Amino acid sequence: MVTPIRFLLLALGMVCFSHLGYSSFNSNVHNSEVWGQNIDREKVYLHMDRSDYYAGERMWFKAYVVQAGTNKPVVTNEIVYVDLINSKNEVMITKMLQTEQGSASGEIRIPLETTNGLYTVRAYTNFMRNHGNSTFFRKNIRIGGGAKLAAEKVFTGEKPITDLKDAVLHLEKPDLQFFPEGGNLVNGFINRMGFKLVAPDGMGTDVNGRVVDGSGKLITEFTSSHLGMGMLSFIPQNGEKYLAEIQFNGNTFTYPLPNAMVSGTMMHVFDRGTHYNVEIKSSRYNGVNGLQLTTFQGGEEVSKSKIEGKDQYAVVTLPKELVKDGIVQFTLFDNAGQPICERLFFHHSDSGQVAMETSKKQYGKRELVDLEIKVDEDAADFAANMSLSVSETALSAPRMGNIDIKTYLLLTSELKGEIENPAYYFNSNDPARRKNLDFLMMTQGWRSFIDQEVEELRFPRETGITLKGRVVQSNSRDKAVPAQISLAFKNRMEAGYDVVETNENGEFEFSDLHFKDSTSIFVYANALSKKNKKNKKNKGSDPSFFIELDSFTTPEVKVMESLPLAKEVDYVSAYPVVLPENKPFKVDGADLIRLKEAVVTENKLDKEANMKRKRKSALYIRPSYSLDYEQFRNNPIGNALTALQGRIPGVTVIGEQVSIRNRYDSPPFFLLDGFPVAEQTIFDIPVTDIDFVDYIRPGATAMYGMNGGNGIIAVYTLDGRERFYKKQTPTENGVGTLTYVHPGFVKSKKFYEPVYNKIDSKRRKADFRRTLHWEPNVELSPDGKVKVSFYTSDLPATYQATLQGITDEGTPIHSKVMFESD
C-alpha cells in the first residue's frame, strides 16, 4: 500500500550510480540542508549574436545571472566576467559587466591580428569560483573564414582533466559502460540497464551487441539508439556472471556487466501519457514496507511518499500537471533514512511562451524586415527579461555552438561532461527524441551542484569593483606597516576620492567602486599619527612605503599580459603634425608628445619609425595630416574622432558625424590599422586604444579609387610593440604611490544599423553585415506584443532571428524563426 504525503513532481525513473562507477550513496549529498545550498549558487548564460566571427568584428552578447536551483534571476547587482580564450589556454580579453536585475549586455571587439581557429568564450561571477570552473558558462566559437576547421582541437576553456573521454582518446578499444536503473542489478527481477559506447576519438558511437552468460549462452541482444546510448533488459540469475560482446572496426571486444545483488531494491520509471509511474520492487525480507520516495527539483525537496505493506511491489503515480520543465531527482530511502536508489528524469512539455513571425519568408537586398513578437499566454501575467539577435546562420558551427538558454539552464549545466549536440533533445523532429533524452539521463548522469560541500567560501559576491592591497617598507618588503591610503580616480564621466586605513597587517581595501569606463587610478600611502590617526592631515606620500596591489586572477588558465598603459605625461602641443604632400614624411621632434625623462630609455623605438611600420598595411605613402593620440589616451575627450575637430584642417566632427570640406553629401573612407571598415566601427574604438590618426585629402587618394574620393581617415591602434610607451601597469614610482588604468565596466554601445530608402540604398557602399539586428532588451507592450524592424544587407544568406530570455519565475525562453535574403 502506498500512502502519499503529497504528490511527487516530475518525470523520473531512478538509478543509483556514480558518474563513472556504481559506488554506494553518500548520505550527506541527500541531506535537505545541503540541497538547500543549491538555491544560493549561481549560473551564467550568454546570449551571443552568433557563433562564428572574423577578426576585427564585434561580438555582441547579453549575460543572464540566475539562481542555480530555481533559475530565477539574481536581482542583486553583481559583476560578470567574460573571457575570450584561445587554443593555447590564454585569456586574450577579459570584460567586466555589472548586472542590473540579473542581466547585463556588452561586446568584445576581436583584435585584427587574431588568427583563424576555434576559441572559447567563458563567463562567470566571482562567487561561482567557490564551486569550481565546471560551473562556468563556456561556448566554442570560430574566428576566421575559409574552409571548415575540422582538424582544429576544440578547447573547452579548462585545463586538461581525466574523465571518461580523456581516458579513451588514445586506446584502440572503445569504452562501453553500463548503468543499471535502480542502482544495481537485482536477481530474479526484470532489470533495465542503460549503456553508452564512446569510441577512441572520444565521441559517442552507435553499436550492436549481445549479452551472454558464463557458458557463452545468448541472453539478449542490444542496439544503441542515439550517439552510442541505449537500454537493454534481462533477468539475472543467482551465481551467474554476464558479459557484453560487441564488434568494433572488425574486432570483437568483451565487457563484464555489473554483478547482480542476491537481495536488493530497484526502481523503474514509465511515461504513461498523462502521468508517470514509479515502480518499486524489492526482494528484501520485508519487501517495500517502510520505504520513502522523495522528490527533489531545483535544489528543493518537492514531495514525499511513505510506502506501507510487505509486498515486493509498489507503484507511485505522478500527475504531469505537477511537473515543470527540467530535471527531477527521485531518491528512495530505507527505514533508517539511508538512500538506496536514485533516478533522474527530464520532463519536457514542449510548450512555448513566446512566438515570432516575419512579414514574409523571402527578402531582397537592403529590404525592410518586420518581425512580430507576441506572448502565447496571458500577457498580464507575463514578466520576462529578453534579448534578440538576427544573424546569418553558421555554415560550420563549432561543437557546442548550438546551445540556447533553455538547453543550457535545464540540461547542459546540469550534467557532467560535454553533451554532444544538446539542442537535439529540445529542437529535433526525431520521434525518438524523448526516449533518447531519457537514455542521456540514465547514462551521462546528473551533475548536482552539491556533489561536494564547500567548507569555505573564498570568493565573495561582488556588487562592485574592489581594490585591495598591502603596504610594506620599501627597503624590507616582508615588513607590513600601518598607513593611511588615499585613492583618487577619474574618467570621462566621473571623478572621486576616498581614504582608508590599513589593518595591523598593512592590508587595505576600497570596495563597491563603480567605474563605468576606463579609469585612471592614483593610490598613495602616508604614515599615521600615533596620537590622532584619523585627524592627521594628508601631507603626501611617504617615500619609505611600498604599495603592493592585489590583482584579479583569471581562473585556471594562463593569462596573457595586458597592453601596457602609461602614467600621466607632460602636456605638449595638442595640434597635429602637418605634412606637406610634396615632401617625404618627417615628424618634427618639437611636435612630439614626450614621456617623462625617468622612463625614456636607450631602447626606445623612434615614433616616426613606429608610424611608418604601421602604415605599411595601408596603400597610401604619406598622409596629409597626422594626429598623435598620446595626450588623449591619458585625458580622453569625446569619441574616437572628437580630437580631430579643430586640429585637422578641412575635417568637421560633430558627435558621430564626420564631414569633409566641400564633401558634405558623403562621409570619408575609413581605415582601421590599414583595413577598410564601416564608420561605426571607428566610433566603437575606445580613445585609450588609439595610437594615432592619419588624414588623406581628397585628390591624394587615387590608390583607393572611388572609395577614397571624399578623403580618407585612417585610425591606428596600439598593438603592444610601441616600446616608447610605459612598460608595465600598475607602476610604482618608488615614493609610496601607485598609478594605473582600470578597465572598468563594459559600456555597451548601441548596435549600428543602416536605414535605407529607395534613393540612397543604391548609392551607398557595400553592406556585408552578417548580424542584421541586435537588441539586448526586448520590451513588450501591455498586450504582450512588439514589432521589430531592420534592413537586410547585401549578403545573400539564410538568417535566423533568435529570442532568448528568462521569466521572473525562472522559466527559460527560446524562440526562433528563419528567413532568406537574396
Side-chain angles (χ1 to χ4, degrees), residues 390-429:
V390 183
S391 60
E392 176 193 11
T393 56
L395 297 178
S396 56
R399 293 166 56 190
M400 293 185 67
N402 55 357
I403 61 174
D404 56 65
I405 192 169
K406 190 171 185 178
T407 302
Y408 182 77
L409 292 183
L410 299 184
L411 183 64
T412 304
S413 63
E414 297 290 290
L415 293 177
K416 289 181 177 179
E418 179 182 330
I419 301 175
E420 297 178 49
N421 191 17
Y424 161 84
Y425 301 103
F426 290 83
N427 304 324
S428 173
N429 294 323

Side-chain angles (χ1 to χ4, degrees), residues 34 45 86-87 107 113 121 184 204 237 243 338 360 362 405 421 476 606 621 624 631 686-687 723 757 771:
V34 177
Y45 174 78
N86 63 21
S87 59
E107 75 279 338
E113 63 272 15
V121 177
N184 294 281
Q237 303 297 327
L243 294 174
Q338 295 298 310
K360 56 182 183 178
Q362 190 79 28
I405 192 169
N421 191 17
S476 180
D606 181 76
I621 299 176
S624 303
Q631 176 199 345
V687 175
R723 285 183 289 172
N757 55 47
T771 296

